[in-house]
Amino acid sequence: MATRSADAGWATWGSLLAIAALSTALAYIVFFQILVRSGATNVMLVTLLIPVTAILLGHFVLGETLKGREMLGALVIGSALILMDGRVFAWVRR
């Protein structure tokens, strides 16, 4: 015998829409505040961390094995971010 799933009522749909709208609005407010304070370049540099985060989550959450090329790629990305930041050059000049 097949079971019938419950139909979602207005309260369920209203709650879902409210949470989605609130989460989206809050995310955009936070994003634009960071954009104003840090600048567009620094905000976009964060996108370079997405592959590293995905690899680390795959390793720690899913138990995937890390290979040398993933570690080397993370090192290259980290080094590039450090160099782009400019603090290393300021430190060397002193």
Side-chain angles (χ1 to χ4, degrees), residues 48-49 51-53 55-56 66-84:
L48 294 174
L49 296 174
V52 177
T53 305
I55 289 170
L56 290 175
L66 285 177
K67 297 182 180 154
R69 64 182 177 204
E70 283 97 3
M71 290 186 267
L72 180 63
L75 184 64
V76 168
I77 290 171
S79 301
L81 288 172
I82 289 171
L83 289 175
M84 283 186 209

PDB file of all heavy atoms in Angstrom, residues 48-49 51-53 55-56 66-84:
ATOM      1  N   LEU A  48      38.915  32.484  -4.349  1.00  0.00           N
ATOM      2  CA  LEU A  48      40.038  31.564  -4.526  1.00  0.00           C
ATOM      3  C   LEU A  48      40.090  30.515  -3.419  1.00  0.00           C
ATOM      4  O   LEU A  48      40.709  29.467  -3.586  1.00  0.00           O
ATOM      5  CB  LEU A  48      41.354  32.340  -4.563  1.00  0.00           C
ATOM      6  CG  LEU A  48      41.538  33.277  -5.757  1.00  0.00           C
ATOM      7  CD1 LEU A  48      42.810  34.089  -5.598  1.00  0.00           C
ATOM      8  CD2 LEU A  48      41.563  32.486  -7.048  1.00  0.00           C
ATOM      9  N   LEU A  49      39.439  30.780  -2.305  1.00  0.00           N
ATOM     10  CA  LEU A  49      39.444  29.833  -1.199  1.00  0.00           C
ATOM     11  C   LEU A  49      38.385  28.743  -1.342  1.00  0.00           C
ATOM     12  O   LEU A  49      38.414  27.759  -0.602  1.00  0.00           O
ATOM     13  CB  LEU A  49      39.233  30.576   0.120  1.00  0.00           C
ATOM     14  CG  LEU A  49      40.348  31.552   0.493  1.00  0.00           C
ATOM     15  CD1 LEU A  49      39.962  32.323   1.732  1.00  0.00           C
ATOM     16  CD2 LEU A  49      41.648  30.815   0.698  1.00  0.00           C
ATOM     17  N   PRO A  51      37.878  26.358  -3.723  1.00  0.00           N
ATOM     18  CA  PRO A  51      38.384  25.005  -3.996  1.00  0.00           C
ATOM     19  C   PRO A  51      39.101  24.393  -2.799  1.00  0.00           C
ATOM     20  O   PRO A  51      38.959  23.202  -2.522  1.00  0.00           O
ATOM     21  CB  PRO A  51      39.367  25.190  -5.163  1.00  0.00           C
ATOM     22  CG  PRO A  51      39.098  26.524  -5.719  1.00  0.00           C
ATOM     23  CD  PRO A  51      38.444  27.331  -4.665  1.00  0.00           C
ATOM     24  N   VAL A  52      39.842  25.204  -2.065  1.00  0.00           N
ATOM     25  CA  VAL A  52      40.560  24.694  -0.895  1.00  0.00           C
ATOM     26  C   VAL A  52      39.561  24.237   0.166  1.00  0.00           C
ATOM     27  O   VAL A  52      39.716  23.171   0.766  1.00  0.00           O
ATOM     28  CB  VAL A  52      41.515  25.769  -0.333  1.00  0.00           C
ATOM     29  CG1 VAL A  52      42.203  25.284   0.917  1.00  0.00           C
ATOM     30  CG2 VAL A  52      42.537  26.163  -1.386  1.00  0.00           C
ATOM     31  N   THR A  53      38.515  25.023   0.376  1.00  0.00           N
ATOM     32  CA  THR A  53      37.486  24.658   1.345  1.00  0.00           C
ATOM     33  C   THR A  53      36.780  23.372   0.932  1.00  0.00           C
ATOM     34  O   THR A  53      36.529  22.498   1.769  1.00  0.00           O
ATOM     35  CB  THR A  53      36.459  25.798   1.477  1.00  0.00           C
ATOM     36  OG1 THR A  53      37.151  27.000   1.814  1.00  0.00           O
ATOM     37  CG2 THR A  53      35.423  25.493   2.528  1.00  0.00           C
ATOM     38  N   ILE A  55      37.974  20.930  -0.893  1.00  0.00           N
ATOM     39  CA  ILE A  55      38.890  19.796  -0.712  1.00  0.00           C
ATOM     40  C   ILE A  55      38.999  19.423   0.758  1.00  0.00           C
ATOM     41  O   ILE A  55      38.963  18.239   1.122  1.00  0.00           O
ATOM     42  CB  ILE A  55      40.269  20.125  -1.314  1.00  0.00           C
ATOM     43  CG1 ILE A  55      40.185  20.149  -2.839  1.00  0.00           C
ATOM     44  CG2 ILE A  55      41.315  19.116  -0.861  1.00  0.00           C
ATOM     45  CD1 ILE A  55      41.413  20.691  -3.517  1.00  0.00           C
ATOM     46  N   LEU A  56      39.114  20.417   1.636  1.00  0.00           N
ATOM     47  CA  LEU A  56      39.212  20.137   3.065  1.00  0.00           C
ATOM     48  C   LEU A  56      37.924  19.532   3.614  1.00  0.00           C
ATOM     49  O   LEU A  56      37.970  18.607   4.443  1.00  0.00           O
ATOM     50  CB  LEU A  56      39.587  21.405   3.831  1.00  0.00           C
ATOM     51  CG  LEU A  56      41.016  21.905   3.601  1.00  0.00           C
ATOM     52  CD1 LEU A  56      41.228  23.231   4.314  1.00  0.00           C
ATOM     53  CD2 LEU A  56      42.029  20.867   4.060  1.00  0.00           C
ATOM     54  N   LEU A  66      43.650  12.935   0.628  1.00  0.00           N
ATOM     55  CA  LEU A  66      44.318  14.095   0.039  1.00  0.00           C
ATOM     56  C   LEU A  66      45.528  13.609  -0.741  1.00  0.00           C
ATOM     57  O   LEU A  66      46.313  12.805  -0.252  1.00  0.00           O
ATOM     58  CB  LEU A  66      44.772  15.064   1.124  1.00  0.00           C
ATOM     59  CG  LEU A  66      43.699  15.900   1.783  1.00  0.00           C
ATOM     60  CD1 LEU A  66      44.309  16.758   2.880  1.00  0.00           C
ATOM     61  CD2 LEU A  66      43.010  16.785   0.777  1.00  0.00           C
ATOM     62  N   LYS A  67      45.670  14.116  -1.931  1.00  0.00           N
ATOM     63  CA  LYS A  67      46.822  13.777  -2.761  1.00  0.00           C
ATOM     64  C   LYS A  67      47.782  14.952  -2.771  1.00  0.00           C
ATOM     65  O   LYS A  67      47.442  16.060  -2.366  1.00  0.00           O
ATOM     66  CB  LYS A  67      46.361  13.440  -4.174  1.00  0.00           C
ATOM     67  CG  LYS A  67      45.475  12.215  -4.204  1.00  0.00           C
ATOM     68  CD  LYS A  67      45.079  11.877  -5.608  1.00  0.00           C
ATOM     69  CE  LYS A  67      44.189  10.650  -5.557  1.00  0.00           C
ATOM     70  NZ  LYS A  67      43.290  10.569  -6.653  1.00  0.00           N
ATOM     71  N   GLY A  68      48.958  14.708  -3.243  1.00  0.00           N
ATOM     72  CA  GLY A  68      49.977  15.748  -3.287  1.00  0.00           C
ATOM     73  C   GLY A  68      49.572  16.942  -4.133  1.00  0.00           C
ATOM     74  O   GLY A  68      49.866  18.081  -3.792  1.00  0.00           O
ATOM     75  N   ARG A  69      48.872  16.685  -5.218  1.00  0.00           N
ATOM     76  CA  ARG A  69      48.505  17.798  -6.097  1.00  0.00           C
ATOM     77  C   ARG A  69      47.485  18.724  -5.434  1.00  0.00           C
ATOM     78  O   ARG A  69      47.500  19.926  -5.676  1.00  0.00           O
ATOM     79  CB  ARG A  69      48.001  17.287  -7.438  1.00  0.00           C
ATOM     80  CG  ARG A  69      46.734  16.491  -7.357  1.00  0.00           C
ATOM     81  CD  ARG A  69      46.324  15.991  -8.718  1.00  0.00           C
ATOM     82  NE  ARG A  69      45.127  15.178  -8.571  1.00  0.00           N
ATOM     83  CZ  ARG A  69      44.785  14.266  -9.403  1.00  0.00           C
ATOM     84  NH1 ARG A  69      45.517  14.028 -10.468  1.00  0.00           N
ATOM     85  NH2 ARG A  69      43.685  13.586  -9.213  1.00  0.00           N
ATOM     86  N   GLU A  70      46.591  18.161  -4.603  1.00  0.00           N
ATOM     87  CA  GLU A  70      45.648  19.022  -3.881  1.00  0.00           C
ATOM     88  C   GLU A  70      46.378  19.892  -2.862  1.00  0.00           C
ATOM     89  O   GLU A  70      46.085  21.073  -2.706  1.00  0.00           O
ATOM     90  CB  GLU A  70      44.565  18.197  -3.181  1.00  0.00           C
ATOM     91  CG  GLU A  70      43.496  17.691  -4.105  1.00  0.00           C
ATOM     92  CD  GLU A  70      43.759  16.257  -4.542  1.00  0.00           C
ATOM     93  OE1 GLU A  70      44.744  15.653  -4.084  1.00  0.00           O
ATOM     94  OE2 GLU A  70      42.965  15.750  -5.359  1.00  0.00           O
ATOM     95  N   MET A  71      47.325  19.295  -2.153  1.00  0.00           N
ATOM     96  CA  MET A  71      48.091  20.067  -1.173  1.00  0.00           C
ATOM     97  C   MET A  71      48.948  21.124  -1.855  1.00  0.00           C
ATOM     98  O   MET A  71      49.063  22.252  -1.369  1.00  0.00           O
ATOM     99  CB  MET A  71      48.940  19.129  -0.315  1.00  0.00           C
ATOM    100  CG  MET A  71      48.103  18.292   0.629  1.00  0.00           C
ATOM    101  SD  MET A  71      49.074  17.314   1.749  1.00  0.00           S
ATOM    102  CE  MET A  71      49.193  15.779   0.850  1.00  0.00           C
ATOM    103  N   LEU A  72      49.533  20.773  -3.002  1.00  0.00           N
ATOM    104  CA  LEU A  72      50.335  21.736  -3.754  1.00  0.00           C
ATOM    105  C   LEU A  72      49.457  22.879  -4.268  1.00  0.00           C
ATOM    106  O   LEU A  72      49.838  24.055  -4.191  1.00  0.00           O
ATOM    107  CB  LEU A  72      51.042  21.047  -4.921  1.00  0.00           C
ATOM    108  CG  LEU A  72      51.914  21.931  -5.796  1.00  0.00           C
ATOM    109  CD1 LEU A  72      53.069  22.508  -4.977  1.00  0.00           C
ATOM    110  CD2 LEU A  72      52.437  21.148  -6.981  1.00  0.00           C
ATOM    111  N   GLY A  73      48.278  22.548  -4.763  1.00  0.00           N
ATOM    112  CA  GLY A  73      47.356  23.584  -5.231  1.00  0.00           C
ATOM    113  C   GLY A  73      46.946  24.519  -4.113  1.00  0.00           C
ATOM    114  O   GLY A  73      46.885  25.740  -4.296  1.00  0.00           O
ATOM    115  N   ALA A  74      46.658  23.968  -2.933  1.00  0.00           N
ATOM    116  CA  ALA A  74      46.301  24.805  -1.782  1.00  0.00           C
ATOM    117  C   ALA A  74      47.471  25.694  -1.384  1.00  0.00           C
ATOM    118  O   ALA A  74      47.283  26.861  -1.022  1.00  0.00           O
ATOM    119  CB  ALA A  74      45.872  23.930  -0.609  1.00  0.00           C
ATOM    120  N   LEU A  75      48.681  25.174  -1.461  1.00  0.00           N
ATOM    121  CA  LEU A  75      49.874  25.965  -1.152  1.00  0.00           C
ATOM    122  C   LEU A  75      50.062  27.100  -2.155  1.00  0.00           C
ATOM    123  O   LEU A  75      50.384  28.224  -1.767  1.00  0.00           O
ATOM    124  CB  LEU A  75      51.112  25.062  -1.124  1.00  0.00           C
ATOM    125  CG  LEU A  75      52.415  25.706  -0.724  1.00  0.00           C
ATOM    126  CD1 LEU A  75      52.338  26.185   0.719  1.00  0.00           C
ATOM    127  CD2 LEU A  75      53.549  24.714  -0.874  1.00  0.00           C
ATOM    128  N   VAL A  76      49.828  26.822  -3.420  1.00  0.00           N
ATOM    129  CA  VAL A  76      49.939  27.859  -4.455  1.00  0.00           C
ATOM    130  C   VAL A  76      48.895  28.948  -4.231  1.00  0.00           C
ATOM    131  O   VAL A  76      49.199  30.142  -4.288  1.00  0.00           O
ATOM    132  CB  VAL A  76      49.801  27.243  -5.875  1.00  0.00           C
ATOM    133  CG1 VAL A  76      49.611  28.318  -6.928  1.00  0.00           C
ATOM    134  CG2 VAL A  76      51.013  26.380  -6.191  1.00  0.00           C
ATOM    135  N   ILE A  77      47.657  28.544  -3.952  1.00  0.00           N
ATOM    136  CA  ILE A  77      46.593  29.525  -3.708  1.00  0.00           C
ATOM    137  C   ILE A  77      46.910  30.352  -2.468  1.00  0.00           C
ATOM    138  O   ILE A  77      46.784  31.577  -2.464  1.00  0.00           O
ATOM    139  CB  ILE A  77      45.226  28.828  -3.581  1.00  0.00           C
ATOM    140  CG1 ILE A  77      44.786  28.281  -4.937  1.00  0.00           C
ATOM    141  CG2 ILE A  77      44.168  29.775  -3.024  1.00  0.00           C
ATOM    142  CD1 ILE A  77      43.562  27.405  -4.895  1.00  0.00           C
ATOM    143  N   GLY A  78      47.336  29.690  -1.390  1.00  0.00           N
ATOM    144  CA  GLY A  78      47.691  30.410  -0.167  1.00  0.00           C
ATOM    145  C   GLY A  78      48.838  31.377  -0.378  1.00  0.00           C
ATOM    146  O   GLY A  78      48.794  32.524   0.099  1.00  0.00           O
ATOM    147  N   SER A  79      49.851  30.953  -1.105  1.00  0.00           N
ATOM    148  CA  SER A  79      51.000  31.823  -1.392  1.00  0.00           C
ATOM    149  C   SER A  79      50.577  33.022  -2.229  1.00  0.00           C
ATOM    150  O   SER A  79      51.014  34.151  -1.979  1.00  0.00           O
ATOM    151  CB  SER A  79      52.083  31.041  -2.137  1.00  0.00           C
ATOM    152  OG  SER A  79      52.516  29.953  -1.369  1.00  0.00           O
ATOM    153  N   ALA A  80      49.723  32.785  -3.213  1.00  0.00           N
ATOM    154  CA  ALA A  80      49.249  33.888  -4.057  1.00  0.00           C
ATOM    155  C   ALA A  80      48.446  34.890  -3.240  1.00  0.00           C
ATOM    156  O   ALA A  80      48.607  36.108  -3.405  1.00  0.00           O
ATOM    157  CB  ALA A  80      48.406  33.338  -5.208  1.00  0.00           C
ATOM    158  N   LEU A  81      47.612  34.405  -2.332  1.00  0.00           N
ATOM    159  CA  LEU A  81      46.829  35.309  -1.497  1.00  0.00           C
ATOM    160  C   LEU A  81      47.728  36.125  -0.571  1.00  0.00           C
ATOM    161  O   LEU A  81      47.487  37.314  -0.353  1.00  0.00           O
ATOM    162  CB  LEU A  81      45.800  34.530  -0.680  1.00  0.00           C
ATOM    163  CG  LEU A  81      44.621  33.971  -1.471  1.00  0.00           C
ATOM    164  CD1 LEU A  81      43.777  33.068  -0.593  1.00  0.00           C
ATOM    165  CD2 LEU A  81      43.790  35.080  -2.069  1.00  0.00           C
ATOM    166  N   ILE A  82      48.745  35.501  -0.049  1.00  0.00           N
ATOM    167  CA  ILE A  82      49.681  36.219   0.823  1.00  0.00           C
ATOM    168  C   ILE A  82      50.419  37.300   0.040  1.00  0.00           C
ATOM    169  O   ILE A  82      50.585  38.428   0.508  1.00  0.00           O
ATOM    170  CB  ILE A  82      50.662  35.240   1.484  1.00  0.00           C
ATOM    171  CG1 ILE A  82      49.919  34.406   2.542  1.00  0.00           C
ATOM    172  CG2 ILE A  82      51.834  35.961   2.114  1.00  0.00           C
ATOM    173  CD1 ILE A  82      50.729  33.263   3.103  1.00  0.00           C
ATOM    174  N   LEU A  83      50.852  36.972  -1.172  1.00  0.00           N
ATOM    175  CA  LEU A  83      51.560  37.957  -1.985  1.00  0.00           C
ATOM    176  C   LEU A  83      50.636  39.085  -2.438  1.00  0.00           C
ATOM    177  O   LEU A  83      51.036  40.244  -2.483  1.00  0.00           O
ATOM    178  CB  LEU A  83      52.202  37.283  -3.193  1.00  0.00           C
ATOM    179  CG  LEU A  83      53.397  36.386  -2.882  1.00  0.00           C
ATOM    180  CD1 LEU A  83      53.869  35.682  -4.146  1.00  0.00           C
ATOM    181  CD2 LEU A  83      54.523  37.189  -2.267  1.00  0.00           C
ATOM    182  N   MET A  84      49.408  38.760  -2.779  1.00  0.00           N
ATOM    183  CA  MET A  84      48.468  39.788  -3.220  1.00  0.00           C
ATOM    184  C   MET A  84      48.088  40.742  -2.091  1.00  0.00           C
ATOM    185  O   MET A  84      47.738  41.887  -2.350  1.00  0.00           O
ATOM    186  CB  MET A  84      47.187  39.137  -3.757  1.00  0.00           C
ATOM    187  CG  MET A  84      47.324  38.560  -5.114  1.00  0.00           C
ATOM    188  SD  MET A  84      45.676  38.021  -5.589  1.00  0.00           S
ATOM    189  CE  MET A  84      46.053  36.691  -6.656  1.00  0.00           C
TER     190      MET A  84
END
